[in-house]
């Protein structure tokens, strides 16, 4: 499982796969930051040469030296493998002829060692090309992930925040869960959601919704209008995919939309699109945030009209926690669901400092993985947010930012 748990540090440069970034397996073969991938094949070469030199009669193991370039092909680069192939041939010639009056393996085994070195070098070329291709695909995936889950600066929009994201597919690195914060002149808006389904279609839908949220969340004064824009964009995207002939016409998304008004600190506006309501976590306990329930995004035709918006009070020491169904539907060995509210309540009762966003999402991550023994059935996201102390000036500054 590859967790993406962050306090959202400042954005890093996008990674690129260059010719030198081809030896991921060497990360385990380092001493004080230096690669020692050459050590195993070298030790094997020396061991075979010494063992053969100290044997007599017709028992010769020098031909085993053909294994050396094969080991190097799995651990070293192309040039390193070629060097070991040459060393293997040279060592074979030297050791095999050291005792001219005894049995010698001779030319046939030398040809075997030489052929093994050539084949090992070619195999290394194929392996390195595959690694470069895999690194390039990883870079593409990371770019997509940064689009859906873009890095958020600390204190963005006057909020302390932290997010945890785990993919059910450990190789995918990105899925249909999403979250973002958008500061603007009318306050700071937060969106957390989960697109139905998996694969690139779910990622595409998440990116579409986030693009709309980032624009509407900045420009629109009314949170209900932001919610309406999200619903309209979902309908347009479904029509678009249907026109392409893709079987995604029934795709929907559950989400929680939060609005922290610029002119009032002790409240939060909420819109729930078929999602689990947020939890308000404080040192004194955990409560479900009272929020009007609505249908998921994509089902507006079943309930026409503007989505319900509810303003609720929020204590200065309360942190809002939103999780996706990867958390709430995690099962243990007996098939019991993970009860996030109870687990968070126990954790906070034992240590009130766990209400801090970064610590809170770590608690949710660790206890979810422990509950399901690391076997996630769905993408898993937890996002925690609360107002920062003295955030008024920062919110006004964020309101002038178009990001």
């Amino acid at each position: 499982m590859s967790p993406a748990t962050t306090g959202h540090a400042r954005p890093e440069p996008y990674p690129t796969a260059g010719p030198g970034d081809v030896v991921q397996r060497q990360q385990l073969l380092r001493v004080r930051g230096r690669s020692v991938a050459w050590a195993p094949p070298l030790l094997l070469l020396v061991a075979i040469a010494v063992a053969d030199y100290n044997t007599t009669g017709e028992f010769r193991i020098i031909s085993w030296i053909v294994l050396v370039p094969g080991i190097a092909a799995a651990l070293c680069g192309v040039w390193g493998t070629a060097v070991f192939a040459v060393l293997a041939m040279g060592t074979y010639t030297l050791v095999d002829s050291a005792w001219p009056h005894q049995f010698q393996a001779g030319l046939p085994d030398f040809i075997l060692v030489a052929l093994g070195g050539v084949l090992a070098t070619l195999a290394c070329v194929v392996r390195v090309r595959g690694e470069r291709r895999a690194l390039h695909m990883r870079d593409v995936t990371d770019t997509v992930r940064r689009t859906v889950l873009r890095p958020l600066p600390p204190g963005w929009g006057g909020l302390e925040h932290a997010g945890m994201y785990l993919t059910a597919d450990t190789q995918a690195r990105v899925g249909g869960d999403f979250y973002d914060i958008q500061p603007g002149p009318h306050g700071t808006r937060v969106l957390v959601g989960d697109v139905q389904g998996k694969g690139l279609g779910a990622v595409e839908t998440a990116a579409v919704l986030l693009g709309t949220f980032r624009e509407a969340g900045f420009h629109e004064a009314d949170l209900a209008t932001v919610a309406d824009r999200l619903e309209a964009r979902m309908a347009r995207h479904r029509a678009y995919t249907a026109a392409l002939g893709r079987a995604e016409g029934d795709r929907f998304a559950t989400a929680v939309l939060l609005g922290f008004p610029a002119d009032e600190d002790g409240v939060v506006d909420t819109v729930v699109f078929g999602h689990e309501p947020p939890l308000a976590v404080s040192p004194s306990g955990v409560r479900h945030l009272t929020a009007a329930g609505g249908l998921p995004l994509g089902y507006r035709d079943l309930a026409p009209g503007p989505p319900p918006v509810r303003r609720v009070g929020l204590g200065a020491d309360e942190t809002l926690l939103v999780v996706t169904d990867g958390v709430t539907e995690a099962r243990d060995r007996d098939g019991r669901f993970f009860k996030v509210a109870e687990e968070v309540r126990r954790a906070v009762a034992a240590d009130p400092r766990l209400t801090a966003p970064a610590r809170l999402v770590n608690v949710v991550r660790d206890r979810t993985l422990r509950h399901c023994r690391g076997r996630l059935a769905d993408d898993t996201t937890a996002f925690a947010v609360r107002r920062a102390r003295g955030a008024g000036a920062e919110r006004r500054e964020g309101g002038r930012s178009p990001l």
Side-chain angles (χ1 to χ4, degrees):
M1 217 46 60
S2 300
T5 306
T6 68
H8 305 300
R10 299 194 180 279
E12 302 174 354
Y14 286 95
T16 56
D21 299 326
V22 296
V23 198
Q24 294 298 303
R25 74 222 157 269
Q26 288 189 9
Q27 299 301 319
L28 299 177
L29 296 172
R30 288 183 176 273
V31 175
R32 296 182 180 179
R34 295 180 178 274
S35 172
V36 292
W38 49 268
L42 180 61
L43 291 175
L44 180 62
L45 184 145
V46 173
I48 292 174
V50 171
D52 185 84
Y53 187 83
N54 286 279
T55 57
T56 58
E58 296 185 359
F59 183 76
R60 304 297 304 275
I61 65 170
I62 189 59
S63 300
W64 294 7
I65 210 167
V66 72
L67 299 174
V68 171
I71 299 297
L75 300 175
C76 303
V78 175
W79 285 108
T81 302
V83 167
F84 275 109
V86 173
L87 283 176
M89 289 187 291
T91 304
Y92 174 89
T93 302
L94 180 64
V95 175
D96 192 47
S97 59
W99 306 100
H101 302 296
Q102 294 186 11
F103 173 79
Q104 295 180 338
L107 181 62
D109 284 4
F110 176 82
I111 295 176
L112 174 66
V113 172
L115 182 60
V118 172
L119 293 177
T121 304
L122 293 177
C124 186
V125 170
V126 174
R127 194 212 74 228
V128 168
R129 287 180 178 176
E131 287 185 355
R132 287 177 178 169
R133 189 179 301 110
L135 285 172
H136 175 71
M137 294 305 298
R138 187 195 66 180
D139 294 342
V140 172
T141 304
D142 284 342
T143 301
V144 174
R145 179 171 58 84
R146 287 172 180 265
T147 299
V148 178
L149 301 175
R150 64 175 179 173
L152 299 174
W156 187 233
L159 301 177
E160 296 179 29
H161 50 80
M164 175 274 294
Y165 176 65
L166 303 171
T167 57
D169 182 352
T170 58
Q171 302 299 320
R173 300 171 67 90
V174 66
D177 288 6
F178 58 90
Y179 56 77
D180 202 3
I181 297 175
Q182 181 57 58
H186 310 292
T188 301
R189 277 70 186 264
V190 178
L191 180 66
V192 183
D194 177 13
V195 177
Q196 174 264 336
K198 295 180 174 64
L200 293 178
V203 177
E204 179 186 10
T205 303
V208 164
L209 292 174
L210 284 172
T212 300
F213 166 72
R214 289 162 186 167
E215 288 302 309
F218 178 84
H219 292 287
E220 300 296 344
D222 188 2
L223 193 67
T225 306
V226 178
D228 191 64
R229 291 274 300 273
L230 288 170
E231 180 63 50
R233 188 66 182 92
M234 186 69 181
R236 288 165 49 203
H237 181 66
R238 289 172 62 170
Y240 166 75
T241 56
L244 289 177
R246 288 158 49 180
E248 299 179 11
D250 58 348
R251 190 181 296 277
F252 62 88
T254 63
V256 172
L257 177 62
L258 304 174
F260 294 86
D263 56 353
E264 192 171 353
D265 286 345
V267 298
V268 61
D269 297 325
T270 63
V271 180
V272 176
F273 298 98
H275 200 88
E276 188 77 15
L279 293 175
V281 183
S282 70
S284 59
V286 178
R287 65 184 176 99
H288 285 278
L289 202 67
T290 304
L295 294 175
L297 290 166
Y299 287 155
R300 172 63 61 83
D301 54 338
L302 300 180
V309 180
R310 177 166 294 182
R311 174 166 290 190
V312 296
L314 191 64
D317 60 347
E318 285 189 310
T319 298
L320 293 182
L321 173 66
V322 184
V323 300
T324 61
D325 56 7
V327 175
T328 57
E329 296 180 5
R331 296 172 181 260
D332 63 9
R333 184 179 289 104
D334 299 323
R336 291 173 297 196
F337 290 112
F338 179 68
K339 297 180 180 180
V340 59
E342 294 183 9
E343 291 291 337
V344 170
R345 185 177 293 111
R346 281 196 290 266
V348 171
D351 185 359
R353 295 175 300 175
L354 295 178
T355 57
R359 294 184 177 184
L360 187 56
V361 297
N362 284 336
V363 167
V364 175
R365 177 199 62 193
D366 295 343
R367 299 202 174 197
T368 301
L369 291 175
R370 187 182 308 124
H371 182 80
C372 67
R373 308 181 309 282
R375 299 173 183 173
L376 297 175
D378 198 359
D379 295 341
T380 302
T381 296
F383 191 74
V385 61
R386 70 182 179 187
R387 286 193 187 274
R389 301 292 192 276
E394 188 171 345
R395 287 200 306 274
R396 290 192 293 273
E397 181 67 22
R400 292 193 293 269
S401 171
L403 295 178

